[in-house]
Amino acid sequence: MEPLKQSAEAIREIAKEKDLADALEEGGCDLETVRNIIQGRQLPTDLRAKVWKIALNVVGKGDSLASWDGSLDLPEQSIIHKDCQELVDQLSVPEEEKSVLLLDIESVITFYCKSRNVKYSSCLGWIYLLKPLVHLHLTRSDLYNCFYAIMNKFIPRDCFMKGRPFHLFRLLLQYHEPELCSFLDTKKMTPDSYALNWLGSLFSYYCSAEVTQAIWDGYLQQADPFFIYFLMLIILVNAKDVIIAQESDKEEMIKFLETSPANLDLEDIEDLFSLAQYYCSKTPASFRKDNNSLFGSSLLGLKDDDTDLSQALCLAVSVSEILQANQQQGEGVRFFVVDCRPAEQYNAGHLSTAFHLDSDLMLQNPSEFAQSVKSLLEAQKQSIESGSIAGGEHLCFMGSGREEEDMYMNMVLAHFLQKNKEYVSIAKGGFMALQQHLADINVEGPENGYGHWIASTSGSRSSINSSVDGDSPNGSSDGKGVKSLVNKMTVALKTKSVNVKEKVISFIENTSTPVDRHVSSSDRVGKPYRGVKPVFSIGDEEEYDTDEIDSSSMSDDDRKEVVNIQTWTNKPDVKYNFPCNEVKENGHMFPSHLLVTATHMYCLREIPSRKGLAYIQSRQALNSVVKITSKKKHPELITFKYGNSNTSGIEILAVERYLIPNAGDATKAIKQQIMKVLDALES
């Protein structure tokens, strides 16, 4: 029976090839027709050129090089010629055809550089993009048009070291494989260090000609430039166990990763694509929509989103997608929304399907926060099992949309990411963006189904909500029987969190307002230090206190000095050692030690992969401390501002935040040491 099955399959393959050949012969064949016939299979060699030209939309395009004088006179022409010669030498073509082919390839690259005003460099990898095209035996005109189309549609903008495409890939990796992402982050193995040539050559840099053609067959038929990200993801995921188990040094690991596509065989391609499709189906549509400007003409790129993806805590999802996703049926992405705003804001108005997790609890009451997280995960599980409209395996955190307030939500987010929780995202723009979106789509209109989305759990209503009829206090009368288990659990938890007594602690020696003069050990009320405004004060941080400069604007790579923690804490000049967590603006926390000497304060950040060792994260002179502040709600979160004073006032040069257990003792000790320094300077 087996040979019969194989022969039947072979007959079907031949029939498909004939159907494709006939369709191409008739002319007017579009990509959709090709897809329907091929259905993801590898293309027949003799038909590949025609199909690729259709996929790249260059059929019938004129000769772009016709108006060019053919001058090969760029400053980097010798490099172009050398690279083109090396490519031709690798090809199995008759000797007499090599010179013509060499001229065609060199002309394509030279004209592209001239017409696009681009400087050629070997590291751009263009030769590897041309290699699969040269195998098709195209005319020079078609070769140029295909190369141009690939560069324009499939190679992302800024495809270089530390470029935006690689920051985006890291966010995708973190979304699906947080453990692997965290491991690579710890090793400082950024995607651009191993995937630069994956993306820049669409895998042709490492893969054999046959494998490259098979990948391009599928990729060009997809007509989705972002699909390369999912192919890259699968290659990385496939190597996960080996990566994590390896004990080799960083350079060896990068080399292993970089060359891993070379291990692909023709038989692997079908699985590679089906797995990529699966991961693609589990990814929010915002991944593509919000980053569309990565691909396409440079004119479109001018409207680039100014979001710095290198600083993004996790993948961002638009509020419109959140609303639409949970209304759809089927297997798509569905979100379980976690509203992390303070209870009073949540009560005033919230997404009716959102679970409330007060981010303040994380610092105020860690045990209650842990219980809330447990309840959250249980509510998520139950909502999925019951088929609720609020259910979804993708956790999306929503803040207010105001940066200062959302800092605590970011800390909660970082907590989930550090636990290697997959499918974690953030609602772009927070609740403010949700309100704006509902206003934009005229939520009050009778034809619109979004009126039930905003609810309030107190007497007050949000501005958007005020004209929406029929909302019950719990948001349960949504006309769709959306109730909520989620709302019930949220209300129960919220009631508890509201009752948590607000801690109002005045920091040092009950000083709750900034000190308006130089404080010294003898408490002099003399003239200000150096004849200018006071440079040192201690007080509570205002709720919307915006910092002029975020802490360590230097990158970790700029502070490479590694030290032994015990050796440093035992140094005779170290007067105090406070174990703490350094808190970044995006909520990330790093276990650290704050060391205080007679004149300086050091932050040693622990290195997770090297027990007992730390980086010297910062070194600040005590006399440069301008202000020490805390949040009333979170007395253990301390902000240090450093700067200097001049005739025009105080100039803030750096800001650092730390989560310090028993912060009162720590700040008191630091204050006393600062005073000694200032007294010494005054005398």
Side-chain angles (χ1 to χ4, degrees), residues 176-191:
H176 291 283
E177 291 288 338
E179 183 191 8
L180 178 56
C181 183
S182 176
F183 178 82
L184 294 174
D185 285 350
T186 303
K187 298 284 184 186
K188 295 197 182 302
M189 291 167 60
T190 53

Side-chain angles (χ1 to χ4, degrees), residues 523-544:
D523 207 14
R524 292 188 278 271
V525 191
K527 59 183 185 295
Y529 179 55
R530 294 179 188 167
V532 292
K533 291 182 183 178
V535 292
F536 172 61
S537 60
I538 299 174
D540 283 338
E541 201 170 335
E542 291 301 319
E543 200 58 42
Y544 296 98

Side-chain angles (χ1 to χ4, degrees), residues 105-170:
I105 297 170
E106 191 169 353
S107 297
V108 164
I109 290 180
T110 304
F111 182 69
Y112 184 84
C113 288
K114 288 187 170 187
S115 63
R116 303 281 290 182
N117 196 24
V118 179
K119 183 177 171 64
Y120 178 81
S121 165
S122 297
C123 65
L124 292 169
W126 293 354
I127 290 295
Y128 296 96
L129 285 175
L130 280 162
K131 194 173 179 180
L133 298 174
V134 170
H135 281 290
L136 302 182
H137 308 293
L138 301 166
T139 63
R140 186 175 73 163
S141 170
D142 280 341
L143 182 63
Y144 178 80
N145 288 338
C146 286
F147 174 70
Y148 181 92
I150 287 172
M151 289 293 294
N152 191 47
K153 185 174 180 182
F154 292 102
I155 302 299
R157 191 171 288 103
D158 301 338
C159 190
F160 45 68
M161 294 298 284
K162 297 186 180 177
R164 186 179 173 89
F166 300 101
H167 297 312
L168 182 62
F169 180 67
R170 185 197 160 275

Side-chain angles (χ1 to χ4, degrees), residues 244-257:
I244 291 178
Q246 271 197 0
E247 293 184 4
S248 49
D249 63 29
K250 178 180 169 181
E251 293 308 316
E252 279 182 39
M253 289 177 74
I254 287 175
K255 194 70 182 166
F256 167 77
L257 268 185

